[in-house]
Amino acid sequence: MKIEQIYTGCLAQGAYYIISNGEAAIIDPLREVQPYLDRLQRDNVKLKYIFETHFHADFVSGHVDLSKETGAPIVYGPTAKPEFEAIIAIDEQEFTIGNITIKALHTPGHTMESTTYLLMDENGKEYAIFSGDTLFIGDVGRPDLAQKAADMTQEQLAATLYHSLRDKIMTLADDVIVYPAHGAGSACGKNMSKETVGTIGNQKETNYALRANMTEAEFIKEVTDGLLPPPAYFGMNVAMNKKGYDSFESVLNNGMQAITVANLESTVEDAGALLLDTRKNGVFAKGFIPQSINIGIDGDFAPWVGALIADVKQPIILVTEVGHEEESVTRLSRVGFDNIIGHLEGGFEAWAKAGKEIDTVNRITAEAFSKEVKIGESKVIDVRKETEYAAEHVDEAFSKPLANINDWVKDIDPKKPFFLHCAGGYRSMIAASILQARGFRNFKEVEGGFNAISKTTVPKTNFVCQSKVLK
């Protein structure tokens, strides 16, 4: 038996590849399936089942394409109603892969079809669970995403999750390994550990939601407290996972269409396309195509695209470093942004060489910021998360998280200057590009963000918000 966790950092997502005696199973695969096909061929094994823990909201799974390529059936848990052929397992139904067995444990709460898969080894010993978004390391799945579909409140879903955890998961032996679908950075929970593997015993000791003698009411309160609104694209990803989608290959082929400098402006206008520049923030600041938005491929690219663009059907034209076109298309497709109509041939360098108009961001160093800012007089906008701001921030700075920019941008006075920063420059450059695309020119963005500011003499405030930080 072999279990491989295939972890994708930019999505904080874990897929699982399991083989035993010539047969394989894959759990929660990513959108692009060729790597799985290559593994199957390399190991000379046949894919027997594709297990889905639930209808994912934060990424588009590769289940449909993988099933078409291999003939392996897709397995969902009880109550799932996909709009394609699949096995809908009953609670505790068993599936054999080589010499091992996988049992479907219905664990509703995050969503009503959520299912944990219990693996029993060659000797019949309960060895590991693949818990999807039911149980994370340090957290449990948020219970507010499936309210409309389930016709339930988040409190009712949380109560359901409470019983799933205690009746189906906490009864397992302490040495059973926990393989979750996500780790720290995912929006599917709020307190996930950076660790991506644990045990039942360890989680009983360290996971706040599995605390001994915890009442249902206490669980509901703690699990629902402090939940941020889910990203707008989540619902559209659920629909794609449930209904099916265009093949990844067709999305990639479209995205790899080269658009010349001469044709770019007319193509953007005709398609109503968004110019998405995926270069590093420092490179973008020095020169970019006017009206383009910067979300760097080197950071949490796909989640920020989903959070800020929201509509997965938005036509997109990419501006990338030459050679990074395919990676950009691939990572967009993982979160359902399939309407990529091409990329700028030759990248920004070709645009600049053609003598076309370029824009820049007024980026200053933290040292320059420390000399220019006047605490109490200057306006400083901090686009980090509220928890980051609460831990420490520039005196008198305003907390305006990047995720909420579409709400707070209307409060910005275009005639009054301000400073803009995040933790290291990635998020503040996204904000800067959005602001400039909307006509704002009255700000300076701080290179290196608060990480760099913290090393200067700029006055700072320590304030720990108990309800948001201590969990």
Side-chain angles (χ1 to χ4, degrees):
M1 176 180 70
K2 174 185 175 183
I3 300 173
E4 181 182 355
Q5 183 186 67
I6 305 172
Y7 199 78
T8 305
C10 64
L11 287 177
Q13 189 268 344
Y16 296 92
Y17 174 70
I18 306 161
I19 58 176
S20 174
N21 196 25
E23 294 184 331
I26 295 176
I27 300 177
D28 293 339
L30 277 183
R31 179 77 178 271
E32 64 276 18
V33 302
Q34 191 58 49
Y36 305 118
L37 300 176
D38 293 343
R39 275 181 167 84
L40 293 165
Q41 184 177 28
R42 179 194 65 200
D43 294 333
N44 193 28
V45 295
K46 176 180 174 59
L47 183 62
K48 193 170 184 182
Y49 295 110
I50 302 160
F51 293 100
E52 288 287 323
T53 55
H54 63 297
F55 294 123
H56 304 282
D58 60 316
F59 73 100
V60 178
S61 181
H63 54 308
V64 175
D65 279 352
L66 191 56
S67 181
K68 288 178 181 177
E69 291 287 341
T70 64
I74 302 166
V75 180
Y76 277 97
T79 76
K81 296 179 181 179
E83 297 182 20
F84 44 79
E85 186 175 349
I87 296 171
I88 306 303
I90 60 174
D91 191 25
E92 299 194 359
Q93 183 173 343
E94 296 184 353
F95 300 85
T96 301
I97 299 97
N99 298 327
I100 65 173
T101 301
I102 289 181
K103 180 188 289 188
L105 302 178
H106 190 208
T107 50
H110 172 65
T111 66
M112 289 307 291
E113 80 281 354
S114 286
T115 297
T116 295
Y117 295 103
L118 171 63
L119 184 150
M120 292 169 283
D121 66 16
E122 296 89 341
N123 300 312
K125 182 182 184 298
E126 295 178 346
Y127 181 81
I129 58 169
F130 302 89
S131 54
D133 289 17
T134 296
L135 175 64
F136 301 124
I137 307 304
D139 201 2
V140 293
R142 57 190 296 170
D144 61 327
L145 299 183
Q147 297 175 76
K148 185 175 180 180
D151 194 24
M152 297 169 70
T153 65
Q154 67 176 15
E155 288 76 19
Q156 289 172 320
L157 283 162
T160 302
L161 180 59
Y162 173 84
H163 291 288
S164 291
L165 291 164
R166 277 153 179 77
D167 297 344
K168 295 290 184 67
I169 291 180
M170 292 179 69
T171 56
L172 297 170
D174 284 353
D175 64 349
V176 170
I177 300 169
V178 177
Y179 290 114
H182 296 292
S186 168
C188 293
K190 60 180 181 178
N191 197 46
M192 283 177 257
S193 168
K194 292 180 180 179
E195 300 297 323
T196 61
V197 180
T199 64
I200 294 291
N202 175 262
Q203 287 309 290
K204 287 179 181 178
E205 292 178 359
T206 62
N207 191 322
Y208 76 97
L210 270 59
R211 194 169 64 243
N213 302 319
M214 189 181 205
T215 67
E216 180 180 307
E218 289 172 336
F219 178 89
I220 292 170
K221 183 178 185 302
E222 293 192 39
V223 168
T224 58
D225 182 48
L227 285 174
L228 297 174
Y233 77 102
F234 269 25
M236 289 174 271
N237 275 200
V238 169
M240 293 176 73
N241 282 317
K242 187 174 183 178
K243 297 178 181 180
Y245 43 75
D246 293 336
S247 73
F248 169 71
E249 290 303 322
S250 67
V251 175
L252 181 60
N253 288 338
N254 289 338
M256 293 303 290
Q257 296 294 317
I259 300 171
T260 65
V261 169
N263 292 331
L264 181 67
E265 290 167 295
S266 61
T267 305
V268 168
E269 185 175 351
D270 292 345
L274 172 74
L275 268 180
L276 180 60
D277 192 318
T278 70
R279 295 175 299 150
K280 292 180 183 295
N281 63 81
V283 176
F284 178 87
K286 296 174 182 177
F288 60 92
I289 301 172
Q291 302 297 307
S292 57
I293 302 302
N294 174 239
I295 305 180
I297 199 74
D298 59 326
D300 292 333
F301 174 69
W304 277 120
V305 169
L308 297 172
I309 300 178
D311 184 2
V312 298
K313 296 180 180 179
Q314 167 67 49
I316 292 172
I317 295 175
L318 292 167
V319 180
T320 75
E321 295 284 359
V322 174
H324 289 252
E325 299 87 359
E326 183 172 341
E327 180 187 5
S328 298
V329 174
T330 298
R331 289 172 65 174
L332 284 168
S333 74
R334 289 175 182 167
V335 288
F337 285 81
D338 288 2
N339 197 7
I340 309 162
I341 59 180
H343 65 273
L344 176 60
E345 185 176 32
F348 175 75
E349 289 75 12
W351 179 268
K353 286 179 181 178
K356 294 287 189 175
E357 180 185 0
I358 65 172
D359 201 353
T360 60
V361 169
N362 189 358
R363 167 170 268 195
I364 62 172
T365 65
E367 191 60 36
F369 170 73
S370 70
K371 294 176 181 177
E372 293 182 29
V373 69
K374 293 180 175 59
I375 302 301
E377 297 180 28
S378 303
K379 184 171 186 178
V380 180
I381 293 180
D382 184 335
V383 300
R384 297 176 299 162
K385 294 178 181 178
E386 290 179 347
T387 50
E388 295 173 274
Y389 173 88
E392 188 175 32
H393 57 266
V394 174
D395 276 0
E396 305 296 326
F398 290 87
S399 176
K400 300 291 183 182
L402 173 61
N404 303 331
I405 191 170
N406 290 325
D407 296 324
W408 57 257
V409 67
K410 57 182 175 288
D411 298 326
I412 299 294
D413 186 338
K415 296 180 181 179
K416 293 184 178 180
F418 62 93
F419 297 97
L420 181 73
H421 77 84
C422 63
Y426 181 84
R427 287 172 286 179
S428 55
M429 189 56 65
I430 297 174
S433 67
I434 293 171
L435 289 168
Q436 291 199 186
R438 299 184 184 185
F440 292 91
R441 313 293 304 189
N442 55 322
F443 65 90
K444 295 179 181 181
E445 187 264 349
V446 183
E447 181 180 10
F450 192 77
N451 294 338
I453 293 170
S454 64
K455 298 173 183 176
T456 70
T457 58
V458 173
K460 293 167 278 289
T461 298
N462 290 289
F463 173 68
V464 178
C465 180
Q466 301 259 343
S467 66
K468 292 180 180 178
V469 176
L470 300 179
K471 285 293 179 187

